[in-house]
Amino acid sequence: MANVKNKNRQSQGIVIDGELTIYTAMELKNKLLVDLSVTEELELDLSEVGEIDAAGLQLLVMIKQEATALGKVVSFTGHSPVVLTLLELSGLAGFFGDPLLIVYPSTVEGKSI
């Protein structure tokens, strides 16, 4: 189950904690749309997301597109390792336009793969 914590009411920062999956996407969708409706900028901290699936990714795409359509800004910060992995696998890291640091493991010889 995902929990949403308002990080800072003035900046409309939200920490998404736990699952971002098909089981939590609808609940989170409604919460994020309400939060987006009352601010010009919404920051979603994904550092505490422990699980994400295609439904969670769709939710992130939807809220980004909705913000763009309304002339508002949504940014994602603190991408957890599972979020980074899904963004990399889906090829959508560039779509979100947020700075990401994807670290590739080194081989035994010390070369990056």
Side-chain angles (χ1 to χ4, degrees), residues 4-108:
V4 177
K5 298 180 262 183
N6 284 341
K7 193 172 174 183
N8 180 337
R9 290 193 179 275
Q10 293 178 339
S11 68
Q12 293 297 322
I14 295 173
V15 178
I16 299 177
D17 178 15
E19 293 179 22
L20 190 51
T21 66
I22 193 169
Y23 302 108
T24 60
M26 184 57 74
E27 177 185 343
L28 280 172
K29 175 185 173 186
N30 296 331
K31 166 78 176 132
L32 295 178
L33 287 173
V34 168
D35 288 346
L36 182 63
S37 72
V38 297
T39 188
E40 294 299 313
E41 294 187 23
L42 186 62
E43 178 186 307
L44 301 179
D45 182 342
L46 305 174
S47 64
E48 297 183 34
V49 174
E51 184 177 353
I52 185 170
D53 65 8
L57 185 59
Q58 279 183 303
L59 178 61
L60 298 180
V61 169
M62 183 281 303
I63 198 70
K64 187 80 168 186
Q65 289 178 330
E66 184 71 15
T68 300
L70 296 171
K72 298 182 177 189
V73 176
V74 169
S75 60
F76 302 99
T77 62
H79 305 76
S80 71
V82 295
V83 172
L84 288 173
T85 298
L86 187 57
L87 289 176
E88 184 179 1
L89 289 173
S90 67
L92 288 174
F95 167 80
F96 292 105
D98 298 302
L100 293 175
L101 177 61
I102 298 175
V103 179
Y104 293 96
S106 297
T107 62
V108 176

